[in-house]
Amino acid sequence: MRTKDLVATAISNTFRSKLRTTLTVLAIFVGAFTLTLTNAVGAGVSQYVDAQVGALGSPDVFIITQASDATTAGDGPVKYDAGSSASVSSQQGPPGTTTKALTDTDLNKIGDTAGIVSVDPIRAVQPDYIEYGTGTQYEFSINATSAVTTADLTAGGQLDGSASEAQLVLPDTFVTPLGFASADDAVGASVSIGITDILGEKHTVNATVVGVSLESLLAAGAGANDALIAELADAQSGGIETAVTSYGVAVAHFDTALSADGVTALKADLATEGYTASTIEDQLGAVQTVINGIVGVLNAFAVIALIAAAFGIINTLLMSVQERTREIGLMKAMGMSGGKVYTLFSLEAIVIGFLGSAIGAGVAIGLGSVLSAVLSQGLLSGLPGLNILLFEPTSVAFVILLVMLIAFLSGTLPAQRAAKQNPIESLRYE
Amino acid sequence: MDSEWVIDAQGLEKSYGSGASRFDALKGVSVQIAPGETVAIVGKSGSGKSTLMHLLALLDEPDKGTLQVTGQDAKSLSKRAVNELRNKEFGFVFQQFFLTPNVSVLDNVILPLKIAGMGGKERRKRGMDVLEQLELADKAGNKATTLSGGQKQRVVIGRALVNAPRVIFADEPTGNLDTATGAVVEDILFELNHSQGITLVIVTHDEDLAARCDRQIYIRDGLVVSQTTSNHTHSPHTGAHALVTPEAQTTAGGAA
Ligand SMILES: Nc1ncnc2c1ncn2[C@@H]1O[C@H](COP(=O)(O)OP(=O)(O)O)[C@@H](O)[C@H]1O
Ligand SMILES: [Mg+2]
């Protein structure tokens, strides 16, 4: 039999028992539908996170903290040593652990490490409000790492780290409340930022808006350049220099010429000196790992549905082989080889798998696109740029092929039965 | 010897099951069939007729004995060669129709050609030719299930005929047809033998059908008990009574 004829015969055989085929296809449909959707969620969120990574930019930056000491419960108190454990504790690091802060000595040591170009401490500033002209004052926060990241701009330009002028990148949600007609209107304007020092005295600092950015999941708050941060930090310290001698986190620029292996080696060097260095990608990787975990669990459910459907295919085809005993016997008597009979039934399984998965994927794309559009207008409107369901052609094709493979494997048992059938046994009628 | 016989079987033995339930269906049967001959295998139900036909048609393998088909030793043939031989040289008519339901008459008829891997156009043409010959051309597009018994059996003959076989094996071809339609089917088979020289091997317990054949092989309990030759030459209805031996008559009577 020609391959073309085998395929055509398999397709027409599939439609011979319509109800049975429909029910089996339905079972596969559920699995394929779910798998397509979960993959789309994974892809959608991944793409969003990637875009955020892009927004954070700066591939040549390490976020550096002290390596967390194992001061966990049960070890007992650690002896105080003026040399090493001088400035203990900060809010950095995972909850439930204490991380030692970085001192100026540490910064010098990091700066001297081969491969590090510069190192700057991150100084957290807590402004009270922002105000434009004599308008309403709004609560306001500044993203401490904004000086080293790239904002996702809707108007204006990026911060200039080396400028002596205090610069600000304003989140776009502030544009209208502050009284600007548009994002472009805000660019170039001078705003005042209110801040209270540690003695309780209030100060205002002026800054120029150089850009307007989209609110980002991973970098909330406004962006400020080094000059503005320094001004705010000075105001906050109330002139008492000793107040800030330790920092939770430092930002280090490393040599952009370093290869990926070089970066890894540099991280190891810093680790031996007792510092934990991670790139922004490393930090986002953790977020992505969590998301991938969730998608993985959802995928597992879809695969369970597919396994259930596989038993449906086995059952359907076994019944079909049983019913068509005579037909199979006749075809073998007329010279059809066992291999061709096997292929015929395998193809029937694959056709069923294809029908279920193609319809499942198609419906998932249709419904998912509508859902995605509705969600991005409603529930998820707070996360601009997030396309919660992203249907990638390759992953849809992968789902369909995977289901066809599962169907083929399910078809092996019935197909083998059919292939091994003895034509005489099948044709006996006495 | 080589080309003298289409089928030359010597000392065929075949048993089913093993141990206590072992049953010897054939106990040493020798049969020779010449090209263009019509041979009836006659016997009671359970005597081993179908078993013998299956062996001769290479649908099964004997436990003992030798079998030569068109001069080739069956044992020496590969599985593939056996399949090809059955597909190209043999046609089959069974007691039941074994037509695929919900498939058109034409598609049923061309099944052997499809299995042979013939192209769609060519096989449709061959199929229509055969249906024309059997006066079923107007039913080509009908579903097989919509036909009457006689029409169905004609479709079955069409299917056996479409690959222009050398031998047609028919196991009780009129077994479940009424006398009139049975006679029509018989006429078609003998006409094929007459005009195209197709060898017929007919398994039957119908004495009248057996008498229309050139030769009758009587089987009882797995052994050939007698062979008779009709003295008619291509005039099937003359002398049908003269050839029946007394022994054959008892066998036939028992089966009827
Ligand atoms: N697969 C089988 N297993 C066991 N016994 C069988 C099998 N096939 C046939 N037989 C037995 O072999 C004998 C001959 O069968 P068969 O050739 O079909 O007889 P006939 O066609 O003359 O009626 C019968 O007794 C039958 O019961
Ligand atoms: Mg029989």
Side-chain angles (χ1 to χ4, degrees), chain A residues 169-209:
Chain A
V169 166
L170 197 64
D172 65 348
T173 47
F174 280 84
V175 168
T176 317
L178 285 178
F180 296 112
S182 69
D184 287 315
D185 190 27
V187 175
S190 177
V191 292
S192 28
I193 299 163
I195 190 162
T196 309
D197 69 24
I198 52 170
L199 300 173
E201 211 169 311
K202 295 192 184 297
H203 304 269
T204 44
V205 172
N206 287 327
T208 310
V209 176

Short mmCIF file of all heavy atoms in Angstrom, two decimals, chain A residues 169-209:
data_model
loop_
_atom_site.label_atom_id
_atom_site.label_comp_id
_atom_site.label_asym_id
_atom_site.label_seq_id
_atom_site.Cartn_x
_atom_site.Cartn_y
_atom_site.Cartn_z
N VAL A 169 13.76 60.84 36.89
CA VAL A 169 12.88 60.23 35.89
C VAL A 169 11.58 59.91 36.61
O VAL A 169 11.55 59.18 37.60
CB VAL A 169 13.51 58.95 35.28
CG1 VAL A 169 12.46 58.16 34.51
CG2 VAL A 169 14.66 59.32 34.36
N LEU A 170 10.50 60.51 36.11
CA LEU A 170 9.21 60.48 36.80
C LEU A 170 8.37 59.30 36.30
O LEU A 170 8.24 59.11 35.09
CB LEU A 170 8.51 61.80 36.49
CG LEU A 170 7.34 62.23 37.37
CD1 LEU A 170 7.81 62.48 38.80
CD2 LEU A 170 6.71 63.50 36.79
N PRO A 171 7.78 58.50 37.20
CA PRO A 171 6.85 57.46 36.73
C PRO A 171 5.64 58.13 36.07
O PRO A 171 5.18 59.17 36.53
CB PRO A 171 6.42 56.75 38.01
CG PRO A 171 7.45 57.11 39.02
CD PRO A 171 7.95 58.47 38.65
N ASP A 172 5.14 57.55 34.98
CA ASP A 172 4.11 58.23 34.19
C ASP A 172 2.79 58.43 34.96
O ASP A 172 1.98 59.26 34.59
CB ASP A 172 3.86 57.53 32.85
CG ASP A 172 3.30 56.13 33.02
OD1 ASP A 172 3.30 55.62 34.17
OD2 ASP A 172 2.85 55.56 32.01
N THR A 173 2.61 57.64 36.03
CA THR A 173 1.37 57.81 36.81
C THR A 173 1.33 59.16 37.53
O THR A 173 0.28 59.61 37.98
CB THR A 173 1.25 56.70 37.87
OG1 THR A 173 2.49 56.58 38.55
CG2 THR A 173 0.89 55.36 37.23
N PHE A 174 2.50 59.83 37.67
CA PHE A 174 2.55 61.12 38.37
C PHE A 174 2.27 62.30 37.45
O PHE A 174 2.04 63.41 37.92
CB PHE A 174 3.94 61.31 39.02
CG PHE A 174 4.11 60.58 40.32
CD1 PHE A 174 4.47 59.25 40.34
CD2 PHE A 174 3.88 61.24 41.53
CE1 PHE A 174 4.61 58.58 41.54
CE2 PHE A 174 4.02 60.56 42.74
CZ PHE A 174 4.38 59.23 42.76
N VAL A 175 2.32 62.06 36.14
CA VAL A 175 2.27 63.17 35.18
C VAL A 175 1.02 64.02 35.36
O VAL A 175 1.11 65.23 35.61
CB VAL A 175 2.37 62.65 33.73
CG1 VAL A 175 2.04 63.74 32.72
CG2 VAL A 175 3.77 62.11 33.48
N THR A 176 -0.15 63.43 35.29
CA THR A 176 -1.41 64.18 35.37
C THR A 176 -1.65 64.75 36.78
O THR A 176 -1.93 65.94 36.92
CB THR A 176 -2.58 63.31 34.90
OG1 THR A 176 -2.16 62.61 33.72
CG2 THR A 176 -3.81 64.14 34.59
N PRO A 177 -1.49 63.91 37.84
CA PRO A 177 -1.74 64.47 39.18
C PRO A 177 -0.89 65.70 39.49
O PRO A 177 -1.36 66.64 40.11
CB PRO A 177 -1.38 63.31 40.12
CG PRO A 177 -1.59 62.09 39.30
CD PRO A 177 -1.22 62.48 37.90
N LEU A 178 0.37 65.69 39.04
CA LEU A 178 1.24 66.83 39.35
C LEU A 178 0.85 68.08 38.56
O LEU A 178 1.34 69.16 38.85
CB LEU A 178 2.70 66.47 39.08
CG LEU A 178 3.36 65.54 40.11
CD1 LEU A 178 4.79 65.22 39.72
CD2 LEU A 178 3.33 66.16 41.51
N GLY A 179 0.01 67.91 37.57
CA GLY A 179 -0.48 69.07 36.84
C GLY A 179 0.16 69.28 35.48
O GLY A 179 0.06 70.36 34.90
N PHE A 180 0.83 68.22 34.93
CA PHE A 180 1.40 68.35 33.59
C PHE A 180 0.35 67.95 32.56
O PHE A 180 -0.47 67.05 32.82
CB PHE A 180 2.62 67.45 33.43
CG PHE A 180 3.76 67.84 34.34
CD1 PHE A 180 4.15 67.01 35.38
CD2 PHE A 180 4.44 69.05 34.14
CE1 PHE A 180 5.19 67.36 36.21
CE2 PHE A 180 5.49 69.40 34.98
CZ PHE A 180 5.86 68.55 36.03
N ALA A 181 0.38 68.61 31.40
CA ALA A 181 -0.60 68.29 30.35
C ALA A 181 -0.29 66.94 29.73
O ALA A 181 -1.19 66.16 29.40
CB ALA A 181 -0.60 69.38 29.28
N SER A 182 1.01 66.65 29.57
CA SER A 182 1.40 65.37 28.97
C SER A 182 2.79 65.00 29.47
O SER A 182 3.43 65.80 30.16
CB SER A 182 1.44 65.52 27.44
OG SER A 182 2.53 66.36 27.09
N ALA A 183 3.22 63.79 29.11
CA ALA A 183 4.55 63.34 29.50
C ALA A 183 5.61 64.28 28.95
O ALA A 183 6.56 64.64 29.65
CB ALA A 183 4.78 61.91 29.01
N ASP A 184 5.44 64.69 27.70
CA ASP A 184 6.42 65.59 27.07
C ASP A 184 6.48 66.94 27.79
O ASP A 184 7.53 67.56 27.90
CB ASP A 184 6.06 65.80 25.60
CG ASP A 184 6.37 64.56 24.79
OD1 ASP A 184 7.46 63.99 24.98
OD2 ASP A 184 5.51 64.14 23.99
N ASP A 185 5.30 67.35 28.28
CA ASP A 185 5.19 68.61 29.00
C ASP A 185 6.02 68.55 30.29
O ASP A 185 6.62 69.54 30.72
CB ASP A 185 3.70 68.84 29.31
CG ASP A 185 3.45 70.24 29.84
OD1 ASP A 185 4.25 71.14 29.49
OD2 ASP A 185 2.50 70.41 30.61
N ALA A 186 6.05 67.35 30.92
CA ALA A 186 6.75 67.20 32.20
C ALA A 186 8.25 67.28 32.02
O ALA A 186 8.98 67.74 32.91
CB ALA A 186 6.37 65.87 32.84
N VAL A 187 8.76 66.82 30.86
CA VAL A 187 10.20 66.78 30.64
C VAL A 187 10.76 68.21 30.66
O VAL A 187 10.24 69.11 30.00
CB VAL A 187 10.55 66.09 29.30
CG1 VAL A 187 12.05 66.17 29.02
CG2 VAL A 187 10.07 64.65 29.32
N GLY A 188 11.80 68.40 31.45
CA GLY A 188 12.44 69.71 31.55
C GLY A 188 11.92 70.55 32.71
O GLY A 188 12.53 71.55 33.09
N ALA A 189 10.79 70.12 33.29
CA ALA A 189 10.23 70.89 34.40
C ALA A 189 11.05 70.69 35.67
O ALA A 189 11.73 69.67 35.82
CB ALA A 189 8.78 70.46 34.65
N SER A 190 10.97 71.64 36.57
CA SER A 190 11.67 71.52 37.84
C SER A 190 10.64 71.22 38.93
O SER A 190 9.63 71.89 39.04
CB SER A 190 12.40 72.84 38.13
OG SER A 190 13.03 72.74 39.40
N VAL A 191 10.91 70.14 39.68
CA VAL A 191 9.97 69.76 40.74
C VAL A 191 10.70 69.83 42.08
O VAL A 191 11.93 69.79 42.12
CB VAL A 191 9.43 68.33 40.53
CG1 VAL A 191 8.53 68.27 39.31
CG2 VAL A 191 10.57 67.32 40.42
N SER A 192 9.96 69.93 43.16
CA SER A 192 10.61 69.91 44.47
C SER A 192 10.23 68.66 45.24
O SER A 192 9.10 68.18 45.16
CB SER A 192 10.28 71.17 45.28
OG SER A 192 9.04 71.68 44.93
N ILE A 193 11.25 68.12 45.94
CA ILE A 193 11.08 66.89 46.69
C ILE A 193 11.26 67.21 48.16
O ILE A 193 12.26 67.82 48.56
CB ILE A 193 12.12 65.83 46.24
CG1 ILE A 193 11.92 65.53 44.76
CG2 ILE A 193 12.01 64.56 47.09
CD1 ILE A 193 13.10 64.84 44.13
N GLY A 194 10.28 66.79 48.95
CA GLY A 194 10.36 67.06 50.39
C GLY A 194 10.97 65.87 51.11
O GLY A 194 10.70 64.72 50.76
N ILE A 195 11.86 66.15 52.11
CA ILE A 195 12.49 65.06 52.84
C ILE A 195 12.71 65.50 54.30
O ILE A 195 12.96 66.67 54.57
CB ILE A 195 13.82 64.64 52.15
CG1 ILE A 195 14.35 63.34 52.76
CG2 ILE A 195 14.85 65.75 52.20
CD1 ILE A 195 15.36 62.63 51.88
N THR A 196 12.56 64.56 55.23
CA THR A 196 12.75 64.87 56.65
C THR A 196 14.06 64.27 57.09
O THR A 196 14.33 63.09 56.80
CB THR A 196 11.61 64.23 57.47
OG1 THR A 196 10.37 64.60 56.88
CG2 THR A 196 11.64 64.72 58.91
N ASP A 197 14.91 65.06 57.80
CA ASP A 197 16.20 64.49 58.23
C ASP A 197 16.03 63.72 59.53
O ASP A 197 14.95 63.69 60.11
CB ASP A 197 17.29 65.58 58.34
CG ASP A 197 17.05 66.55 59.48
OD1 ASP A 197 16.35 66.18 60.44
OD2 ASP A 197 17.56 67.68 59.38
N ILE A 198 17.13 63.09 59.97
CA ILE A 198 17.04 62.21 61.14
C ILE A 198 16.72 62.97 62.42
O ILE A 198 16.34 62.38 63.42
CB ILE A 198 18.34 61.39 61.33
CG1 ILE A 198 19.55 62.30 61.33
CG2 ILE A 198 18.45 60.30 60.27
CD1 ILE A 198 20.82 61.60 61.75
N LEU A 199 16.84 64.27 62.36
CA LEU A 199 16.52 65.06 63.55
C LEU A 199 15.08 65.56 63.49
O LEU A 199 14.61 66.27 64.38
CB LEU A 199 17.48 66.25 63.66
CG LEU A 199 18.95 65.84 63.76
CD1 LEU A 199 19.85 67.06 63.69
CD2 LEU A 199 19.19 65.05 65.05
N GLY A 200 14.38 65.23 62.41
CA GLY A 200 12.98 65.59 62.30
C GLY A 200 12.75 66.90 61.57
O GLY A 200 11.62 67.37 61.45
N GLU A 201 13.81 67.49 61.05
CA GLU A 201 13.66 68.76 60.34
C GLU A 201 13.33 68.52 58.88
O GLU A 201 13.84 67.58 58.27
CB GLU A 201 14.99 69.52 60.43
CG GLU A 201 14.80 71.03 60.45
CD GLU A 201 16.10 71.73 60.82
OE1 GLU A 201 16.73 71.31 61.83
OE2 GLU A 201 16.50 72.64 60.08
N LYS A 202 12.46 69.37 58.30
CA LYS A 202 12.05 69.16 56.91
C LYS A 202 12.90 69.99 55.95
O LYS A 202 13.25 71.13 56.25
CB LYS A 202 10.57 69.52 56.73
CG LYS A 202 9.66 68.58 57.53
CD LYS A 202 8.21 68.75 57.13
CE LYS A 202 7.29 67.89 58.00
NZ LYS A 202 7.52 66.47 57.84
N HIS A 203 13.24 69.37 54.79
CA HIS A 203 14.03 70.06 53.77
C HIS A 203 13.34 69.87 52.43
O HIS A 203 12.58 68.93 52.26
CB HIS A 203 15.44 69.46 53.65
CG HIS A 203 16.21 69.45 54.94
ND1 HIS A 203 17.03 70.48 55.32
CD2 HIS A 203 16.28 68.52 55.93
CE1 HIS A 203 17.58 70.20 56.50
NE2 HIS A 203 17.12 69.00 56.89
N THR A 204 13.62 70.74 51.46
CA THR A 204 13.19 70.48 50.08
C THR A 204 14.40 70.53 49.16
O THR A 204 15.31 71.32 49.36
CB THR A 204 12.16 71.51 49.55
OG1 THR A 204 12.58 72.80 49.94
CG2 THR A 204 10.76 71.20 50.02
N VAL A 205 14.38 69.65 48.18
CA VAL A 205 15.46 69.57 47.20
C VAL A 205 14.83 69.71 45.83
O VAL A 205 13.80 69.10 45.57
CB VAL A 205 16.18 68.20 47.32
CG1 VAL A 205 17.17 68.02 46.19
CG2 VAL A 205 16.87 68.07 48.67
N ASN A 206 15.41 70.50 44.96
CA ASN A 206 14.86 70.67 43.61
C ASN A 206 15.54 69.73 42.63
O ASN A 206 16.74 69.47 42.74
CB ASN A 206 15.02 72.12 43.14
CG ASN A 206 14.06 73.04 43.88
OD1 ASN A 206 12.94 72.63 44.23
ND2 ASN A 206 14.50 74.26 44.16
N ALA A 207 14.76 69.24 41.68
CA ALA A 207 15.33 68.36 40.66
C ALA A 207 14.65 68.61 39.33
O ALA A 207 13.51 69.06 39.28
CB ALA A 207 15.14 66.90 41.06
N THR A 208 15.38 68.33 38.24
CA THR A 208 14.83 68.52 36.90
C THR A 208 14.33 67.17 36.37
O THR A 208 15.05 66.17 36.47
CB THR A 208 15.91 69.05 35.94
OG1 THR A 208 16.53 70.16 36.57
CG2 THR A 208 15.32 69.46 34.61
N VAL A 209 13.13 67.19 35.83
CA VAL A 209 12.60 65.95 35.24
C VAL A 209 13.25 65.79 33.86
O VAL A 209 13.12 66.65 33.00
CB VAL A 209 11.07 66.03 35.09
CG1 VAL A 209 10.54 64.78 34.38
CG2 VAL A 209 10.40 66.19 36.45
#
